[in-house]
């Protein structure tokens, strides 16, 4: 009886391990696909932003804004914020600080 219980426990452990492995593979595939979509989106968005002259002209203003913790707001930066929020829906939810940092990262 005791031996059959041990065999059953080992079999159950192996089945559970296989199920966890399949779940791990499925989860990792989902994550990889999501990251791939995010990278493609980010790459396309970054390229589009770099092509916007108003945004690139605001780099100095963005640097001043970030360095002053939002106290210095130049006209070119305000124009860039408006252009970004008009062009990219996700930018509408972003803070001015995040947008300024994005401009600097380009």
């Amino acid at each position: 009886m005791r031996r059959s219980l041990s065999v059953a426990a080992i079999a159950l452990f192996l089945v559970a391990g296989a199920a966890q492995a399949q779940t791990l593979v499925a989860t990792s595939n989902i994550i990889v696909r999501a990251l791939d979509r995010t990278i493609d989106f980010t790459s396309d968005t970054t390229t589009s932003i770099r092509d916007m002259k108003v945004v690139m002209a605001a780099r100095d203003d963005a640097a001043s804004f970030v360095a002053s913790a939002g106290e210095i707001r130049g006209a070119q930066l305000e124009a860039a914020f408006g252009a970004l929020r008009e062009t990219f829906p996700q930018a509408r939810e972003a803070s001015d600080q995040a947008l300024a940092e994005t401009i600097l990262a380009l």
Side-chain angles (χ1 to χ4, degrees):
M1 173 83 173
R2 188 174 182 113
R3 181 163 169 82
S4 64
L5 184 59
S6 296
V7 172
I10 291 172
L12 182 61
F13 178 74
L14 291 175
V15 169
Q20 285 180 338
Q22 288 178 343
T23 302
L24 180 60
V25 168
T27 302
S28 65
N29 286 341
I30 290 167
I31 292 170
V32 167
R33 284 192 299 269
L35 285 174
D36 188 42
R37 285 191 304 269
T38 301
I39 289 168
D40 288 344
F41 170 76
T42 303
S43 176
D44 293 345
T45 302
T46 302
T47 301
S48 297
I49 292 172
R50 281 191 191 128
D51 292 341
M52 297 176 72
K53 290 180 182 180
V54 68
V55 172
M56 297 312 293
R59 290 193 59 150
D60 288 342
D61 282 359
S64 296
F65 181 87
V66 171
S68 69
E71 294 294 317
I72 300 173
R73 301 177 70 93
Q76 289 179 324
L77 183 61
E78 293 296 333
F81 287 163
L84 288 171
R85 289 188 171 117
E86 184 178 313
T87 305
F88 301 102
Q90 66 274 20
R92 293 179 190 133
E93 301 298 321
S95 68
D96 289 350
Q97 181 73 25
L99 291 178
E101 289 173 1
T102 300
I103 292 169
L104 286 176
L106 299 174

